[in-house]
Amino acid sequence: MPTPSSSPSALRTPICLRLGIEHPIFGFAHDIATVAAITNAGGIGIYGATRRFPHEIRAELAEIRRLVGDRPFGVDLVLPPNMPEHNSRSAIEAHIPDEHRSFIDDLVERYEIPPASGPGMRTRFIRSTEIEQEQLQAVMESDVNLFACGIGAPKASVDEAKELGKMTAALIGSPRHVRSALDAGVDLVVAQGTEAGAHTGAIGTFTLVPQIVDACGDIPVLAAGGVGTGRQLVAALAMGAQGVWTGTMWLTSTEHADHLHPSVVRQLLNASSADTIITRSESGKTMRQVRSGWSDEWERPEAPVPLKMPYQDVLVGDLLGAIEEHDIEGLIHSAAGQSVGFCNEVRPVATIIDELMLEASRAMGTLQPSSME
Ligand SMILES: Cc1cc2nc3c(=O)[nH]c(=O)nc-3n(C[C@H](O)[C@H](O)[C@H](O)COP(=O)(O)O)c2cc1C
């Protein structure tokens, strides 16, 4: 299949020119190789660093820089308001009800889950203002080009990043959140619809994006949630967005799949758009993931109501780690959005981007008046 050597000008939107990127494709991943590959293929990779220790963030951002050279890349932190002040697991554990502990013990017994060799991804540290400040410091000291806030955009951090010459972005899932994002002073708003993988809201992308575009005025908007094709990129531009922000579609890229559990990759390749579910059982906030025994167990009438973040993180963190480590059939799963229905084969990032841009160019062509006669 031929690949476009460069995007037609209509696809190279103002945000592309501002960032110096070829394609209006923002790609979020928790995997360094994938982030670098997205940037090197002409989009911009965004590294999801929220579960990384500050020293890891420093080293990983430096490694991405090494892989991409002068090309731009971003980093994303989730900085929810009202988290505990200190990184103290015991303080959180003291508030976990017995009913919830018994539910976890019962899962361990029924699925015969051996203990994990260490804390899980959600229990490596407790989400707290203490650790967030150190993570932010690592980001500010780095030469990363774009700083994105996953949940909540603290004005002081946005200001600091801007002073350091970084572009700033906030992900939002409702028109209600536009005001606080604009008040924080972000350069870019990501309108993320409910179809999206991981933490997500209730409004569909097609309904959300035009409302956010209208409310944002001159501040550029990206469309997120459910995007996996070039036709959707063109639709996003038609809705007034300047590009797309994507996550799920990279999970089955060659670069990312190499670093995921083979059972998870199989699950993603086999899942259709109908096979995802929103659950609070993972983090305490609404999260879209591939439906599995894990989400089914928490949907049972006798299951307890999940706790708030970060209590749910602490309740399930080690168990989720053990489920991954021991590949517990039925329970292993991944966060993913409805665009998982487009993830049908493992392909290199560059191929995914080339094909998406080729399809977008063709879709732009079908919109020309001559083709409608
Ligand atoms: C596995 C996975 C993990 C994610 N983790 C984060 C995160 O830590 N911070 C964040 O801001 N967004 C996170 N997201 C959401 C993405 O940034 C993006 O908004 C979303 O994936 C877009 O929708 P899509 O999944 O349909 O492409 C995650 C998405 C996925 C699929």
Side-chain angles (χ1 to χ4, degrees):
M1 187 179 278
T3 58
S5 56
S6 65
S7 296
S9 55
L11 291 174
R12 195 146 190 249
T13 59
I15 196 74
C16 295
L17 302 178
R18 213 163 128 190
L19 274 164
I21 57 176
E22 184 74 11
H23 310 304
I25 301 176
F26 291 64
F28 173 99
H30 287 293
D31 178 64
I32 288 176
T34 309
V35 170
I38 295 167
T39 284
N40 285 332
I44 175 165
I46 319 293
Y47 181 52
T50 199
R51 287 288 169 188
R52 309 299 291 163
F53 280 107
H55 71 274
E56 293 170 327
I57 294 178
R58 280 193 186 84
E60 289 158 354
L61 295 184
E63 174 62 6
I64 298 173
R65 173 59 69 210
R66 195 186 64 76
L67 294 170
V68 302
D70 290 339
R71 289 170 181 259
F73 73 101
V75 67
D76 174 281
L77 292 178
V78 178
L79 305 163
N82 307 322
M83 289 298 109
E85 199 180 332
H86 296 294
N87 175 23
S88 163
R89 181 169 177 159
S90 54
I92 303 282
E93 275 179 336
H95 290 98
I96 292 185
D98 289 345
E99 182 198 2
H100 289 75
R101 288 184 200 283
S102 313
F103 181 76
I104 296 297
D105 292 345
D106 177 60
L107 282 180
V108 169
E109 204 180 305
R110 281 194 290 119
Y111 287 86
E112 298 175 0
I113 308 169
S117 54
M121 187 260 280
R122 299 192 166 276
T123 31
R124 298 178 80 216
F125 53 79
I126 307 305
R127 218 186 264 287
S128 57
T129 43
E130 184 179 27
I131 199 110
E132 282 175 7
Q133 288 311 314
E134 292 170 25
Q135 290 179 314
L136 280 163
Q137 202 179 335
V139 166
M140 299 305 163
E141 285 168 14
S142 77
D143 63 357
V144 70
N145 307 84
L146 170 69
F147 166 55
C149 302
I151 302 177
K155 182 166 170 39
S157 308
V158 170
D159 284 346
E160 187 181 355
K162 286 168 75 172
E163 271 164 33
L164 291 163
K166 304 182 192 312
M167 186 176 279
T168 54
L171 278 75
I172 60 174
S174 161
R176 280 188 298 119
H177 300 142
V178 170
R179 193 66 268 153
S180 56
L182 297 187
D183 286 348
V186 293
D187 302 296
L188 185 59
V189 170
V190 180
Q192 190 205 257
T194 187
E195 296 94 317
H199 291 128
T200 196
I203 307 174
T205 306
F206 215 69
T207 309
L208 181 71
V209 173
Q211 294 185 54
I212 300 229
V213 166
D214 288 348
C216 279
D218 292 340
I219 300 296
V221 173
L222 302 172
V227 176
T229 68
R231 281 164 290 166
Q232 290 166 297
L233 166 56
V234 174
L237 301 188
M239 289 191 285
Q242 290 201 15
V244 290
W245 176 286
T246 51
T248 298
M249 63 188 283
W250 311 110
L251 294 171
T252 52
S253 67
T254 312
E255 290 84 347
H256 208 320
D258 269 358
H259 302 122
L260 289 178
H261 206 292
S263 328
V264 168
V265 177
R266 257 194 316 277
Q267 189 179 52
L268 292 164
L269 293 173
N270 291 334
S272 77
S273 294
D275 294 327
T276 69
I277 187 166
I278 294 182
T279 174
R280 288 208 303 112
S281 61
E282 190 96 6
S283 71
K285 289 192 186 288
T286 48
M287 176 180 283
R288 190 180 290 282
Q289 56 183 225
V290 177
R291 186 176 173 182
S292 68
W294 174 261
S295 51
D296 287 349
E297 289 287 352
W298 284 91
E299 293 281 301
R300 281 168 39 206
E302 60 274 30
V305 175
L307 305 171
K308 284 186 179 162
M309 183 185 278
Y311 300 89
Q312 187 73 8
D313 281 338
V314 174
L315 174 70
V316 302
D318 289 354
L319 179 60
L320 287 171
I323 288 169
E324 277 227 3
E325 183 176 338
H326 303 297
D327 190 10
I328 304 296
E329 203 185 328
L331 293 184
I332 195 164
H333 62 273
S334 169
Q338 293 180 348
S339 60
V340 74
F342 299 120
C343 298
N344 299 321
E345 55 179 324
V346 175
R347 295 177 305 160
V349 162
T351 306
I352 297 174
I353 291 191
D354 282 352
E355 290 187 2
L356 195 140
M357 290 311 298
L358 189 64
E359 188 185 305
S361 299
R362 287 185 178 143
M364 292 293 276
T366 64
L367 297 178
Q368 301 307 313
S370 58
S371 65
M372 293 185 189
E373 284 164 5

